[in-house]
Amino acid sequence: QKEVEQNSGPLSVPEGAIASLNCTYSDRGSQSFFWYRQYSGKSPELIMFIYSNGDKEDGRFTAQLNKASQYVSLLIRDSQPSDSATYLCAVKGSSGSARQLTFGSGTQLTVLP
Amino acid sequence: GAVVSQHPSWVICKSGTSVKIECRSLDFQATTMFWYRQFPKQSLMLMATSNEGSKATYEQGVEKDKFLINHASLTLSTLTVTSAHPEDSSFYICSAIPGRELWETQYFGPGTRLLVL
């Protein structure tokens, strides 16, 4: 059973702070990892993907991957109220249905003005 | 680039009727499309994987006779909810993959809200 675990939150941070979102996964053979943002009532939109150990930065967002610990995180610097949303971690499988994404339950983030 | 559309965005129907939802990749050819369902305050649940020209692969617990999927072309997949009942009311979202690389991600359509009365 492939599992992706996230803290459901809610996570609240003040405007301008760093928001840290965490995700663990059970399939050690997983190859690539994605962070999506989903506003209430909307479909998910891709923020970042990462498939190599280490950090990947894109603007205010940094994804971190540690395959040995089966851990992936998303840091949001200088958080803005517009970042308030549910953040979904998704993992692409290693074999079989390798093109499918397994989603975590999401972390609800609120950035307080 | 990588835009996926869905139609309709909202549908309200009576119990027992069938509803068809279209998913189109507008600026790329989608080798694979996926259909998800999301209930309020829950995460996305994969219903089925659809490859162009072949039968869809359904996830465990999803009735293939109730949720008919047709992937007739590389840019269009349809989901038909047959004999819809109130418990089928949900947010249905499709996604599409443009390629086969590891980093190729799924691009999501805007979703279709179905309300069965």
Side-chain angles (χ1 to χ4, degrees):
Chain A
Q1 179 76 15
K2 299 178 183 177
E3 291 184 356
V4 178
E5 301 285 342
Q6 293 181 254
N7 289 329
S8 61
L11 172 67
S12 294
V13 300
E15 183 174 356
I18 295 175
S20 177
L21 306 166
N22 304 316
C23 174
T24 59
Y25 58 95
S26 62
D27 183 0
R28 186 169 289 278
S30 297
Q31 299 289 318
S32 46
F33 309 86
F34 304 82
W35 283 100
Y36 286 86
R37 175 174 61 198
Q38 186 175 25
Y39 291 111
S40 181
K42 303 294 185 182
S43 66
E45 56 179 325
L46 178 69
I47 299 176
M48 294 186 68
F49 66 86
I50 186 169
Y51 54 92
S52 298
N53 271 330
D55 295 358
K56 179 181 179 182
E57 186 174 316
D58 184 0
R60 295 187 295 113
F61 299 96
T62 299
Q64 299 174 319
L65 175 62
N66 184 326
K67 289 187 176 181
S69 300
Q70 296 176 240
Y71 175 90
V72 59
S73 66
L74 179 70
L75 300 178
I76 307 174
R77 291 182 300 280
D78 187 24
S79 297
Q80 301 297 310
S82 59
D83 295 325
S84 298
T86 297
Y87 289 80
L88 300 171
C89 172
V91 176
K92 184 174 282 191
S94 57
S95 62
S97 53
R99 308 193 77 205
Q100 292 180 356
L101 290 177
T102 301
F103 284 87
S105 57
T107 298
Q108 185 179 345
L109 172 67
T110 300
V111 180
L112 303 172
Chain B
V3 177
V4 177
S5 70
Q6 272 185 253
H7 177 80
S9 56
W10 265 100
V11 59
I12 301 174
C13 68
K14 293 181 179 180
S15 183
T17 60
S18 294
V19 175
K20 180 184 282 188
I21 302 170
E22 290 188 351
C23 176
R24 292 182 184 273
S25 56
L26 298 185
D27 52 1
F28 65 95
Q29 292 186 327
T31 53
T32 303
M33 288 183 170
F34 301 88
W35 287 96
Y36 295 85
R37 181 167 53 182
Q38 187 176 36
F39 293 105
K41 298 191 182 300
Q42 296 186 22
S43 191
L44 296 167
M45 296 300 297
L46 179 65
M47 300 176 66
T49 301
S50 171
N51 292 297
E52 184 266 342
S54 62
K55 290 184 179 180
T57 302
Y58 290 82
E59 294 300 299
Q60 190 173 8
V62 178
E63 301 175 56
K64 61 181 181 180
D65 294 331
K66 181 171 183 62
F67 298 99
L68 301 178
I69 293 173
N70 187 319
H71 195 155
S73 75
L74 284 171
T75 59
L76 173 64
S77 177
T78 59
L79 168 68
T80 301
V81 183
T82 62
S83 186
H85 291 285
E87 59 266 30
D88 299 322
S89 299
S90 187
F91 189 36
Y92 291 86
I93 310 172
C94 73
S95 70
I97 293 182
R100 297 187 179 276
E101 303 297 336
L102 278 177
W103 57 84
E104 289 285 359
T105 188
Q106 296 181 22
Y107 295 93
F108 286 86
T112 297
R113 292 206 175 275
L114 171 63
L115 177 60
V116 184
L117 302 176

